[in-house]
Amino acid sequence: MTSSADKPIVTVLTAPDEKEPPGLDALRQRAEVRFASDEASLRETLPGTRVMMVTDFRTEALAAAWPTADKLEWIHATSAGVDALMFPALIDGDVTVTNAQGIFDRTIAEYVLCSILMFCKDFPKSIRLQQAHEWKHRETERAQGQRLLVVGAGSIGRQIARLAAGVGLNVHGTARTARQDDPDFEAVHSNEALVEQLGLADFVVVAAPLTPQTQGLFDRKAFQAMKRSARFINIGRGPIVRTDDLVASLQAGEIAGACLDVFEEEPLPPEHPLWDMDNVLTTAHMAGDFIGWRAALTDQFLDNFDRWQMGESLFNRVDKKLGYAAK
């Protein structure tokens, strides 16, 4: 039996008000598990730590406590986005970073498909009419044949494309490199072609990670490049969109509507105009959070921990220069 002195140290960094992730008893049998929730506690737990499991995707504590990381080899983020972890010392160093790619893909794709169908079938207005006890017959759109542009043709974007194609949408994507023979997209265009593609789409979905290149990508000019009948959906990261520009475009009728799960400022302030717009759907950063998702994240980490202990290659390795797990 492995003695406590032989066990590697694993530090779990959570948000200050977050409970311990479920399913860690199996890890305790193989490692000394420490917990931190802020810079002060992390400075105490990092010395000697070889592996980190980070559940707080907004944390700035790691960058602040980084000088105390004397033996750290691997950081696993239990989120698809790792933008909060991408500070210069980590990017330039030898510590491996992995993420939770694959856990949320299907659920987020279901959310996007639901959003598209709600717009097509005008469910927001139907809900308002029901609340008013008003019977009003209307005609609605068909999703089939409409064009969907997925900005970010990674693993989440691919799942979106598969589900959307299943109801007859014509799905195009954008990525760093164009490709015409993708099995799930009619075509994947280079990022440089974004403005042109925005003008052709009936629905635009942001599924890109937050990087220096995507921050503020959707500004007033981007929205003005879209069809006035187009709907915009963001399940990526809030700062990819300049919220004031989105509001201005919605108010000016430059786009027809938006569904937003992520925002520049979270929680969305109660007085924000997005709450009261009839053509806007909002949710509280929950597009990927299915029942049991926390346990699934721990299971994924434990699978990779097995690989790490056996000296095997880790899956979902993040390209730290790009800021995401590139396949």
Side-chain angles (χ1 to χ4, degrees):
M1 183 174 181
T2 304
S3 68
S4 59
D6 297 329
K7 290 181 178 180
I9 298 173
V10 177
T11 288
V12 180
L13 176 60
T14 65
D17 56 350
E18 184 182 354
K19 295 180 180 179
E20 174 183 321
L24 289 183
D25 287 344
L27 180 63
R28 288 187 174 93
Q29 298 173 14
R30 290 177 285 166
E32 177 187 333
V33 183
R34 300 174 178 176
F35 292 90
S37 60
D38 54 23
E39 178 186 345
S41 56
L42 190 56
R43 285 182 177 275
E44 294 179 0
T45 60
L46 266 183
T49 293
R50 296 177 63 190
V51 176
M52 283 192 68
M53 177 182 180
V54 180
T55 67
D56 182 5
F57 63 86
R58 298 184 181 92
T59 186
E60 297 178 354
L62 183 57
W66 188 250
T68 63
D70 55 351
K71 294 186 178 180
L72 193 60
E73 301 174 22
W74 165 39
I75 298 170
H76 177 75
T78 61
S79 59
V82 294
D83 43 279
L85 299 179
M86 293 297 103
F87 53 91
L90 176 55
I91 294 171
D92 297 334
D94 297 329
V95 176
T96 299
V97 177
T98 59
N99 74 349
Q101 179 174 275
I103 294 293
F104 302 109
D105 296 6
R106 174 73 183 200
T107 314
I108 291 176
E110 291 173 358
Y111 175 100
V112 170
L113 180 58
C114 175
S115 303
I116 292 171
L117 294 177
M118 285 186 72
F119 278 127
C120 286
K121 303 309 170 189
D122 200 16
F123 260 71
K125 186 170 184 178
S126 292
I127 292 170
R128 293 194 299 274
L129 290 170
Q130 179 180 347
Q131 292 171 336
H133 297 193
E134 183 177 350
W135 179 279
K136 186 174 182 180
H137 179 270
R138 301 171 335 277
E139 295 177 348
T140 60
E141 306 168 37
R142 298 179 67 178
Q144 184 179 22
Q146 299 210 49
R147 183 165 174 143
L148 169 64
L149 178 66
V150 181
V151 180
S155 63
I156 294 174
R158 186 170 300 283
Q159 283 290 335
I160 293 170
R162 290 172 181 170
L163 289 190
V167 297
L169 285 149
N170 299 319
V171 188
H172 290 248
T174 61
R176 284 188 305 133
T177 305
R179 50 185 187 269
Q180 299 300 316
D181 57 350
D182 192 284
D184 298 308
F185 294 88
E186 293 197 12
V188 175
H189 310 273
S190 70
N191 290 334
E192 288 73 20
L194 175 62
V195 172
E196 175 188 358
Q197 292 303 312
L198 287 176
L200 301 173
D202 300 297
F203 292 91
V204 175
V205 178
V206 176
L210 178 60
T211 67
Q213 291 71 39
T214 63
Q215 185 161 2
L217 179 65
F218 277 86
D219 56 10
R220 190 71 183 270
K221 289 183 179 179
F223 292 120
Q224 289 174 335
M226 293 168 59
K227 294 181 179 180
R228 296 181 73 87
S229 59
R231 279 68 160 238
F232 176 75
I233 301 168
N234 188 9
I235 49 81
R237 280 288 188 256
I240 295 175
V241 177
R242 296 194 185 281
T243 308
D244 290 345
D245 288 359
L246 172 60
V247 170
S249 289
L250 287 164
Q251 291 174 334
E254 292 166 352
I255 62 173
C259 179
L260 308 168
D261 185 57
V262 291
F263 304 85
E264 279 187 289
E265 181 181 359
E266 295 183 5
L268 186 66
E271 69 281 2
H272 202 282
L274 286 171
W275 288 112
D276 297 316
M277 291 185 171
D278 289 344
N279 57 348
V280 173
L281 303 171
T282 63
T283 51
H285 204 140
M286 54 186 278
D289 294 351
F290 56 93
I291 296 170
W293 64 273
R294 290 181 175 85
L297 289 174
T298 299
D299 289 343
Q300 184 188 52
F301 168 71
L302 292 175
D303 287 345
N304 235 357
F305 187 78
D306 288 340
R307 289 172 173 259
W308 178 80
Q309 282 200 308
M310 292 185 290
E312 297 179 357
S313 178
L314 301 177
F315 57 78
N316 287 359
R317 293 174 69 104
V318 170
D319 184 321
K320 295 186 290 184
K321 299 293 185 182
L322 295 176
Y324 54 89
K327 287 190 174 181

